[in-house]
């Protein structure tokens, strides 16, 4: 069923409090809503980072559900609340089961629940693996832009890990004006490399002659001035700081690829200090090794507000934990756009016991 909810039930709306309608938005609807809007989503993510940096958000620690008999698998809950013009609360519930890939289905699956800011009632459930990949890629593209200012803009990009996130990051980089003279790829899976290369060859910004598959991680890193880590690594596997002697910009999206020694030889930026220095991420390991946080140069918000300027004489590493407020911002945008299009699918009588005494 499709209809527009009463304004009184929308977050930020006026009128008497009442339980909102409940909507379900599919992955197909999410994808269609976000298609081709890379620039707008990057701007939305920047606005969200600025709201978070100014304190207009609540973003508590993520909660990890782990399994003693399946140490590679996990499900993560990211609760958050976002103020400003968005005024929405919610929760992302995202699983990571690496073994899915061998079965032919994606590693990650997710849903996003949006809650009414006035009543606390959930008003929408969205398929969120696409939202999660989108906000991750938009954050990476935003960081690449800000952290390359004052440095030579990278023209050779290397993708270390060639799954869904790598594909989305490539789409957001090219969709926001980046062009590359060379694209390098490396992955432990030959099938993933072949699939990603095929994707690159089909894009307007990449020709087959510009794409190089690197068998050795060292070759990929040394030949790239922008390195994107998008793996499922659970512990550091890149350990030699000399591979980064050419001072590349590193988007350390998967958070656990780099040994602490590499971070200690680099300028380090994160999206949120407290979130990034947990759960044995590479920055967390660096803190444990040194006993302090002096190796951190600042946050992306610090760079955007001019408080810190990335150096040109060291590698620059961006390690984003991935904030729940970003999922809220993108999810609320999708909800609003689907509503305006008159395509919102509502579940009648989802909330049933609404009278206190029956």
């Amino acid at each position: 069923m499709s209809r527009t909810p009463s304004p009184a039930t929308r977050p930020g709306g006026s009128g008497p409090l009442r339980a909102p309608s409940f909507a379900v938005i599919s992955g197909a609807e999410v994808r269609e809503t976000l298609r081709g809007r890379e620039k707008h989503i990057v701007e939305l993510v920047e606005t969200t980072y600025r709201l978070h940096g100014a304190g207009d958000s609540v973003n508590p620690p993520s909660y990890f559900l782990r399994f003693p008999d399946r140490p590679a698998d996990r499900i993560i809950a990211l609760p958050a609340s976002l103020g400003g013009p968005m005024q929405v609360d919610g929760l992302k519930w995202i699983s990571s089961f690496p073994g899915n890939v061998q079965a032919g289905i994606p590693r990650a699956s997710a849903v996003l629940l949006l809650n009414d800011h006035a009543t606390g009632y959930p008003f929408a459930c969205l398929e969120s693996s696409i939202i999660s990949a989108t906000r991750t890629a938009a954050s990476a593209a935003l960081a690449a832009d800000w952290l390359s200012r004052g440095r030579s803009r990278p023209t050779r990009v290397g993708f270390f890990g060639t799954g869904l996130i790598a594909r989305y990051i490539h789409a957001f980089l090219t969709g926001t004006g980046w062009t590359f003279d060379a694209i390098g790829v490396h992955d432990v899976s030959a099938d993933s490399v072949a699939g990603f290369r095929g994707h690159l060859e089909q894009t307007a910004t990449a020709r087959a002659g510009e794409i190089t598959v690197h068998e050795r991680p060292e070759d990929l890193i040394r030949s790239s001035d922008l390195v994107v880590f998008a793996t499922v690594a659970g512990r550091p596997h890149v350990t030699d700081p000399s591979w980064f002697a050419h001072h590349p910009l590193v988007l350390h999206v998967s958070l656990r690829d780099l040994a602490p020694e590499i971070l200690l030889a680099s300028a380090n930026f994160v999206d949120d200090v407290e979130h990034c220095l947990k759960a044995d991420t590479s920055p967390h390991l660096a803190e444990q090794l040194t006993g302090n946080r002096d190796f951190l140069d600042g946050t992306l918000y610090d760079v955007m507000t001019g408080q810190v300027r990335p150096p040109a004489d060291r590698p620059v590493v961006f390690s984003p934990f991935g904030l729940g407020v970003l999922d809220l911002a993108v999810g609320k945008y999708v909800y609003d756009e689907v509503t305006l299009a008159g395509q919102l699918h509502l579940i009648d009588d989802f909330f049933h016991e609404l009278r206190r005494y029956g």
Side-chain angles (χ1 to χ4, degrees), residues 7 9-13 40-53 56-59 80-90 112 114-118 123 131 135 323-336:
T9 68
R10 291 182 183 170
H40 181 81
I41 299 303
V42 169
E43 291 171 357
L44 177 64
V45 165
E46 178 169 348
T47 296
T48 305
Y49 272 136
R50 290 183 183 276
L51 287 172
H52 179 69
D56 201 358
S57 68
V58 180
N59 207 109
S81 176
L82 186 59
M86 299 172 206
Q87 297 288 305
V88 64
D89 311 324
L112 176 68
L114 301 180
N115 291 72
D116 183 275
H117 209 57
F123 63 87
I131 289 173
R135 64 84 152 147
L323 301 177
V325 290
L326 301 182
D327 297 280
L328 288 186
V330 176
K332 181 60 166 48
Y333 171 78
V334 170
Y335 175 86
D336 289 343

Side-chain angles (χ1 to χ4, degrees), residues 89-286:
D89 311 324
L91 171 77
K92 180 172 76 170
W93 182 237
I94 182 167
S95 67
S96 175
F97 281 53
N100 287 353
V101 176
Q102 294 181 353
I105 59 176
R107 170 188 61 85
S109 58
V111 293
L112 176 68
L113 287 174
L114 301 180
N115 291 72
D116 183 275
H117 209 57
T119 66
Y121 271 77
F123 63 87
C125 177
L126 299 85
E127 196 286 329
S128 196
S129 65
I130 296 171
I131 289 173
S132 186
T134 295
R135 64 84 152 147
T136 299
S139 169
L142 180 69
D145 177 31
W146 279 99
L147 294 174
S148 63
R149 299 183 185 187
R151 297 164 53 98
S152 296
R153 191 172 175 89
T155 60
R156 303 172 300 157
V157 63
F159 289 92
F160 199 126
T162 55
L164 178 74
I165 298 301
R167 174 161 62 86
Y168 268 75
I169 291 175
H170 174 260
F172 267 80
L173 287 171
T174 58
T176 52
W178 286 78
T179 58
F180 300 103
D181 297 332
I183 299 177
V185 295
H186 170 79
D187 199 298
V188 296
S189 167
D191 289 342
S192 293
V193 167
F196 188 57
R197 178 170 186 164
H199 164 73
L200 294 176
E201 290 172 345
Q202 293 173 16
T203 65
T205 56
R207 298 186 302 275
E210 298 174 327
I211 304 166
T212 302
V213 175
H214 294 280
E215 296 295 330
R216 300 197 314 161
E218 178 180 358
D219 295 337
L220 174 86
I221 294 169
R222 288 188 182 275
S223 63
S224 305
D225 43 24
L226 172 61
V227 184
V228 179
F229 283 93
T231 74
V232 294
R235 60 182 62 90
H237 54 97
V238 176
T239 60
D240 191 341
S242 71
W243 294 2
F244 301 83
H246 57 300
H247 305 153
L249 171 59
V250 180
L251 301 178
H252 187 208
V253 176
S254 36
L255 275 178
R256 294 174 176 84
D257 302 275
L258 303 179
E261 290 77 10
I262 292 173
L263 298 191
L264 297 180
S266 305
N268 293 281
F269 298 89
V270 298
D271 53 358
D272 184 284
V273 173
E274 295 302 326
H275 284 77
C276 283
L277 272 66
K278 286 183 174 142
D280 288 335
T281 63
S282 294
H284 188 203
L285 296 178

